[in-house]
């Protein structure tokens, strides 16, 4: 990658005011050449002025050396070149000084004024010298040659360096502008990449949370019922064999359904989007070094499969083992609440359902969320308050739907923990996230009577 913008400016390693050593060497070479030129012309200047030759040479060398500071003080260099023009020295310094002045960032009015002064000085000096040559007979041309030589020399010594300097200055400013734009674009692209990475990370986290919530709905309710039935089976195995057989059959059915749903989700995790992953055999892997890579599984596909499995978990008839994870399943709805409550009642819970208002259909997300809230609340009763009487209330209002699940205090101290159901603490959090995602309000907490209440209101 090329160095641009701020990095380009910060890359200067030259001495003093030079950005690069190459520029310092160039200016030193030009100053040396200018000093040599002015020193040589100082000999003639000393003869004309009646001064000792060493003084003329030293004056010329000092004047020519001013070119060393052309990048730092270009105005001073041009003024010195104008000042020594009558001595017929400093032509190289004048050319380079005008070029540097025009290429610099100084205002154009200063460049125009100094260029006009240099033009006037060169015009006058050339006119005087040429006229003296014509008068002395050194120049045999006619009178027309004096103004012609004066104008052409003045134009030749001022116009080319000024025009070239203006062009190089404009070109440098254009390159700096392009570098700044490239830097700005690079920063914007980096910022966009960081924001895209943040959005992708946020989306991954959201999808992981949704997958965890859906898998919790798949496993928690059904396995909780399995544990409750298993505990009841252990208690009545000898007293009521017929009921024990019935409970054992229920446990087996629920276990098979849970395994089927988990296999479907794990299958999506392994294959991705329902496509089978090709795993090479031992013989093929030993004979070939290239193994087809298993395609990466998007989290959205896993979340969709988890939602499908969670929807089947709410259906008592369950999905068959041969059903694919990619089937279209609308998910649980409020019409299945009677069946859900019946499953809890079969596990020994005393539960009552009351519905207020006119029953009507809602959006699929609203019905599914309301169903999940009731399902998870009943699961928590199984875990923490086994044997407690539970009330499920559903209210259909004009612009919202409200649900409440409240259980009484367990009949015996410690009865809620006799089944020893583990709790990960994700049930209430998952319910709150579901309701909040639809703009609803979720409240949960213990009651004054020693029970627990879960309430949710979802805009309809």
């Amino acid at each position: 990658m090329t160095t641009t913008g701020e990095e380009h400016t910060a890359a200067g390693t030259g001495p003093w005011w030079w950005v690069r050593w190459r520029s310092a060497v160039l200016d030193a070479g030009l100053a040396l050449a200018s000093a040599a030129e002015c020193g040589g012309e100082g000999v003639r200047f000393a003869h004309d002025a009646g001064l000792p030759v060493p003084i003329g040479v030293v004056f010329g060398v000092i004047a020519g050396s001013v070119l060393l500071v052309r990048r730092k003080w270009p105005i001073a260099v041009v003024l010195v070149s104008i000042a020594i023009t009558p001595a017929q020295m400093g032509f190289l310094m004048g050319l380079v000084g005008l070029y540097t002045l025009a290429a610099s960032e100084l205002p154009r009015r200063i460049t125009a004024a100094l260029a006009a002064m240099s033009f006037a000085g060169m015009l006058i000096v050339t006119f005087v010298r040429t006229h003296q040559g014509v008068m002395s007979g050194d120049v045999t041309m006619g009178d027309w040659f004096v103004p012609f030589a004066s104008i052409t020399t003045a134009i030749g010594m001022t116009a080319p360096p000024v025009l070239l300097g203006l062009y190089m200055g404009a070109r440098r400013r254009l390159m700096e502008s392009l570098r700044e734009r490239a830097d700005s674009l690079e920063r914007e692209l980096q910022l966009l990449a960081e924001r895209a990475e943040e959005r992708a990370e946020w989306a991954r986290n959201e999808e992981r949370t949704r997958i965890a919530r859906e898998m919790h709905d798949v496993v928690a309710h059904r396995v909780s019922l399995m544990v409750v039935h298993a505990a009841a089976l252990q208690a009545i195995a000898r007293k009521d064999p017929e009921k024990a057989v019935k409970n054992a059959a229920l446990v087996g059915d629920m276990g098979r359904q849970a395994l089927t749903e988990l296999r479907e989700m794990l299958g999506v995790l392994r294959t991705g989007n329902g496509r089978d992953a090709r795993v090479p055999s031992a013989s093929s892997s030993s004979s070939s070094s290239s193994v087809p890579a298993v395609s990466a599984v998007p989290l959205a596909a896993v979340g969709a499969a988890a939602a499908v499995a969670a929807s089947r978990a709410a259906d008592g008839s369950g999905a068959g083992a041969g059903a694919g994870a990619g089937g279209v399943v609308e998910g649980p709805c409020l019409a299945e609440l009677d069946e859900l409550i019946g499953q809890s009642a079969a596990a020994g819970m005393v539960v009552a359902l009351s519905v207020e208002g006119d029953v009507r259909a809602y959006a699929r997300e609203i019905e599914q969320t309301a169903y999940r809230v009731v399902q998870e609340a009943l699961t928590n009763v199984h875990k923490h308050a086994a044997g407690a009487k539970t009330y499920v209330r559903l209210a259909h209002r004009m612009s919202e739907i409200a649900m409440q699940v409240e259980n009484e205090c367990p009949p015996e101290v410690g009865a809620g923990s006799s089944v020893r159901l583990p709790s990960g603490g994700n049930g209430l959090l998952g319910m709150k996230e579901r309701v909040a995602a639809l703009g609803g309000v979720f409240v949960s907490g213990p009651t004054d009577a020693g029970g627990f209440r879960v309430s949710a209101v979802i805009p309809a």
Side-chain angles (χ1 to χ4, degrees), residues 16 112 175 206 278 318 354 382:
W16 296 333
M175 295 301 295
E206 288 293 316
R278 298 181 179 180
S354 62
H382 283 295

Side-chain angles (χ1 to χ4, degrees), residues 300-361:
V302 182
V308 169
S311 302
R312 290 172 179 164
D315 187 0
S317 59
V328 179
V329 179
E330 292 298 330
C333 59
L334 292 176
E336 300 174 6
L337 277 182
D338 291 331
E339 184 178 356
L340 177 65
I341 293 174
Q343 294 176 0
S344 296
M349 178 187 294
V350 180
V351 56
L353 172 64
S354 62
V355 180
E356 301 176 3
D358 297 332
V359 179
R360 65 181 187 275

Side-chain angles (χ1 to χ4, degrees), residues 91-177:
F91 297 106
L92 176 62
M93 183 168 57
L95 292 173
V96 178
L98 287 174
Y99 165 81
T100 305
L101 179 66
S104 66
E105 301 296 331
L106 293 173
R108 291 290 169 257
R109 62 178 183 275
I110 296 179
T111 302
L114 292 177
M117 292 173 60
S118 178
F119 177 83
M122 184 61 63
L123 177 67
I124 294 173
V125 171
T126 306
F127 183 87
V128 171
R129 293 292 183 181
T130 305
H131 182 70
Q132 290 177 350
V134 171
M135 295 299 295
S136 62
D138 295 337
V139 180
T140 58
M141 299 291 183
D143 294 338
W144 61 269
F145 180 74
V146 176
F148 173 77
S150 303
I151 294 174
T152 53
T153 302
I155 293 176
M157 293 295 294
T158 55
V162 170
L163 294 177
L164 181 61
L166 291 175
Y167 167 75
M168 295 303 295
R171 181 176 179 274
R172 185 181 66 251
R173 286 188 291 273
L174 176 61
M175 295 301 295
E176 291 176 354
S177 174

